[in-house]
Amino acid sequence: RSSDLDGLWIIDQHVAHERILFEQVLRQRAAGSVEIQQLLMPLVIQLTPSQQFEYARMAEELNAHGFETEPFGQRTIAIKAAPAGIGPADIEQIIFDILEITERELPSGSLDEIRRSVCATIACRAAIKVNMKLEPKKIEWLLRALAACEYPMTCPHGRPIALRRSEEHTS
């Protein structure tokens, strides 16, 4: 009799890495031990009036997630530090994503739900990209880290990480 693990497993590397990072970011945020990277030059971004309003509400929360920010003139903020592991190109987009999440979810969602959404956003942007070719060592690390996750079968948004094709289908 074949076990549930037999057959061909297809793993989405981006979604798998997203789950690993999500659980890591969530643990760090809960422990207040988020690793941060100082930026060589502050990243200055323009906000719309609604983003400015959300920023005022979320500045402390952004800080707790490792984004060191401060108002910088009219509807502009300067980002001086960001969570470690996030590429400079993704920092601005993550801030905008977080402000959008708070605008959408804060009226009805709890702060805890918003924290989970913020952690999921950071994990998604920092995760290995879909078509990136991985070295065998990186693949091995990814599978081990995934196996150590609390919920290794879905990403934080509920998408499946792995698909299994059983022997019967592979003829």
Side-chain angles (χ1 to χ4, degrees):
R1 180 170 114 47
S2 66
S3 79
D4 284 347
L5 296 176
D6 286 347
L8 172 69
W9 283 85
I10 300 166
I11 295 181
D12 182 324
Q13 64 189 32
H14 169 74
V15 179
H17 196 210
E18 197 177 334
R19 164 52 68 181
I20 294 160
L21 290 174
F22 172 69
E23 291 192 10
Q24 181 187 321
V25 170
L26 210 53
R27 277 195 308 273
Q28 287 179 351
R29 171 66 187 88
S33 63
V34 177
E35 281 183 60
I36 67 166
Q37 57 185 340
Q38 294 295 326
L39 304 183
L40 290 174
M41 292 282 293
L43 179 63
V44 177
I45 60 174
Q46 290 283 138
L47 302 178
T48 65
S50 67
Q51 286 170 335
Q52 174 74 41
F53 177 73
E54 297 308 331
Y55 171 74
R57 293 205 288 183
M58 285 299 283
E60 247 178 82
E61 192 62 28
L62 282 167
N63 196 42
H65 280 282
F67 291 98
E68 198 180 299
T69 66
E70 61 183 35
F72 190 77
Q74 187 68 24
R75 286 215 316 267
T76 309
I77 59 169
I79 304 159
K80 296 176 163 185
I86 293 173
D90 290 320
I91 294 170
E92 186 174 344
Q93 193 53 55
I94 289 173
I95 295 283
F96 288 144
D97 288 350
I98 290 170
L99 296 177
E100 191 183 311
I101 286 164
T102 53
E103 186 174 18
R104 193 176 60 236
E105 295 182 20
L106 202 53
S108 57
S110 69
L111 192 55
D112 194 47
E113 288 169 326
I114 285 158
R115 274 188 193 143
R116 288 182 68 82
S117 293
V118 169
C119 289
T121 296
I122 293 168
C124 183
R125 293 279 174 191
I128 295 163
K129 302 304 175 237
V130 175
N131 295 319
M132 189 182 284
K133 190 165 169 39
L134 302 182
E135 296 295 317
K137 276 191 172 143
K138 184 77 172 183
I139 295 169
E140 202 175 303
W141 170 84
L142 190 69
L143 294 174
R144 282 215 179 112
L146 182 62
C149 283
E150 202 176 338
Y151 298 102
M153 296 311 285
T154 61
C155 84
H157 306 100
R159 292 186 307 258
I161 288 171
L163 291 173
R164 181 175 74 96
R165 288 188 56 110
S166 63
E167 294 297 330
E168 301 90 68
H169 295 106
T170 55
S171 49

